[in-house]
Amino acid sequence: MVIGIFLFVSLYNVVFSATNLIVNGDFENPNSIDPWECLGCKPNGLRNSYKGDWSVMVTNRDQSFSALTQRIRSTGGENYIFKSYIKLLKLVRGTMYTDVHVYVKYTDRYGTYIKQRFVDYPKVQIGFGWTELSGDVYIPNGIQSNNFNVSIEIPEHEVDFMLDEASLTVIPNNPYWKSQADSEIDRLRKATLTLTPVAHHNSDYYCQHNQGSYCIDISYMYVEIKQTRSQYAFGSTIQPDLLVNDSLTNYGQFMYDNFEWGEIDNGIQWINMESDQRQLDNETLVQALQRLRSHGLKRWGSGLFSALSKSNPNWISKLPLRDINLAIKDRINYMAALFNERYVYNFLIQDLVIND
Ligand SMILES: *[C@@H]1O[C@H](CO)[C@@H](O)[C@H](O)[C@H]1NC(C)=O
Ligand SMILES: *[C@@H]1O[C@H](CO)[C@@H](O)[C@H](O)[C@H]1NC(C)=O
Ligand SMILES: *[C@@H]1O[C@H](CO)[C@@H](O)[C@H](O)[C@H]1NC(C)=O
């Protein structure tokens, strides 16, 4: 008996090669960046590259929007992939990183000027060296003058950088993607399961004459396979108050049936849990965690601390510094005990760095 089981789904990777719409993206001619323009900046060929011999070095930017720009001839109506390599040379004194942005700029068919940021690479450091900068963007058709600009910008004008190997290609429209994806799923993500029924009595002669529980007739056998957990964990955020409300059982059931992780980010904020110091409002949360645990779901929390004062209890701001530290320790210890498992470490780290 052979049964195909669906193991897990992955995104189908389309492999294609396409024309580079950016001209002189490799900057191999040190004397000219044409048809690029450095608007409000100074370009220089530099014999240090990601690939080939040369790249362009951009310095003397006088505004945050001073940018290396190229006008692309295209009627729009397509999805495009931009890709390039950037290397930072100089940051603002005293800073450790900067954000790098790539924009498309065009006038749409209604005459509206559009400036769309489609690459946002945060916190790039000099130590990264050559770093890929890439993203994709849709440009509607009917754009005016049949062209749009691609420009690479960095908010702080003091930052200098190098750029190399820039490309912009059209992602071909594939009307068959769904059936191709399905057949790839069949090919790559399904496994064969072989079940061998073992009879207590394996003499055909005996079974033909004596029916009964010792003999298995596979023509009447029915096997049902139910997948209860994914190999790759899927999670969802939950609202603890809905999870514990017994008149809303479908809410929890959906969660238990479909996910391996439950993330609690509502009702867990400090202000909601401890509006008066040491008076913990924890009943709903404790009950929600118990339900997730008893259905085998991992628990994840977010919002342990916040940089926004409105998300922290009022009494905090009235404490002397030493007591603020103690209150923070109390909260970490309490929440760590409540979540009480190894995921608590992720939980703490994530929340200590996210200011929401
Ligand atoms: C595109 O860049 C060129 C300079 O290369 C500029 O003259 C033009 O106005 C820009 N177009 C848009 C829509 O920003
Ligand atoms: C539970 O859900 C019902 C239906 O939405 C609602 O009327 C009720 O107030 C909820 N109970 C609690 C305790 O929130
Ligand atoms: C809930 O908070 C109370 C104090 O308000 C505390 O005594 C109790 O231990 C807490 N329960 C859990 C499971 O953390």
Side-chain angles (χ1 to χ4, degrees), residues 241 245-248:
D241 56 326
N245 185 329
D246 287 324
S247 53
L248 300 173

Side-chain angles (χ1 to χ4, degrees), residues 40-164:
C41 48
K42 189 166 177 293
N44 271 105
L46 199 71
R47 209 183 168 82
N48 176 333
S49 64
Y50 175 74
K51 206 170 152 204
D53 294 323
W54 298 86
S55 67
V56 69
M57 174 173 71
V58 175
T59 60
N60 296 69
R61 297 170 58 241
D62 46 45
Q63 306 281 345
S64 64
F65 48 83
S66 299
L68 195 59
T69 297
Q70 185 165 144
R71 196 195 297 228
I72 309 292
R73 306 220 127 269
S74 166
T75 52
E78 306 270 11
N79 287 293
Y80 302 83
I81 292 185
F82 171 81
K83 190 168 165 182
S84 67
Y85 291 85
I86 192 166
K87 183 172 161 180
L88 298 183
L89 297 173
K90 189 181 110 226
L91 288 169
V92 177
R93 246 181 107 91
T95 61
M96 295 185 64
Y97 47 72
T98 186
D99 297 349
V100 182
H101 301 147
V102 184
Y103 290 87
V104 283
K105 299 174 191 179
Y106 55 90
T107 304
D108 73 10
R109 64 161 81 200
Y110 308 107
T112 307
Y113 177 76
I114 309 285
K115 174 175 178 178
Q116 184 185 348
R117 183 159 94 196
F118 71 103
V119 176
D120 183 358
Y121 189 178
K123 303 196 172 27
V124 186
Q125 301 178 21
I126 288 179
F128 290 0
W130 285 107
T131 298
E132 184 177 323
L133 188 64
S134 56
D136 67 286
V137 63
Y138 176 74
I139 311 270
N141 63 23
I143 55 174
Q144 291 190 4
S145 319
N146 285 339
N147 66 60
F148 61 87
N149 286 354
V150 171
S151 68
I152 295 114
E153 302 184 15
I154 291 179
E156 304 86 7
H157 70 87
E158 297 92 334
V159 176
D160 295 341
F161 64 91
M162 288 153 71
L163 196 89
D164 203 5

Side-chain angles (χ1 to χ4, degrees), residues 277-336:
Q277 194 172 11
R278 302 221 167 78
Q279 302 292 303
L280 291 168
D281 183 359
N282 57 14
E283 225 170 280
T284 306
L285 181 60
V286 168
Q287 216 185 330
L289 288 171
Q290 265 163 6
R291 290 189 184 198
L292 291 175
R293 185 181 294 128
S294 69
H295 287 89
L297 274 76
K298 305 273 182 241
R299 283 80 66 205
W300 183 282
S302 104
L304 186 57
F305 296 108
S306 172
L308 301 177
S309 51
K310 71 177 168 63
S311 304
N312 294 318
N314 289 331
W315 51 263
I316 275 287
S317 58
K318 300 184 180 103
L319 297 179
L321 186 59
R322 202 185 66 94
D323 293 348
I324 292 178
N325 286 338
L326 288 175
I328 287 173
K329 272 188 198 156
D330 280 353
R331 171 137 168 100
I332 293 175
N333 288 337
Y334 176 71
M335 295 301 280

Side-chain angles (χ1 to χ4, degrees), residues 228-249:
T228 57
R229 285 286 170 257
S230 304
Q231 186 166 346
Y232 179 84
F234 284 91
S236 169
T237 55
I238 64 146
Q239 272 183 255
D241 56 326
L242 300 184
L243 193 76
V244 305
N245 185 329
D246 287 324
S247 53
L248 300 173
T249 49

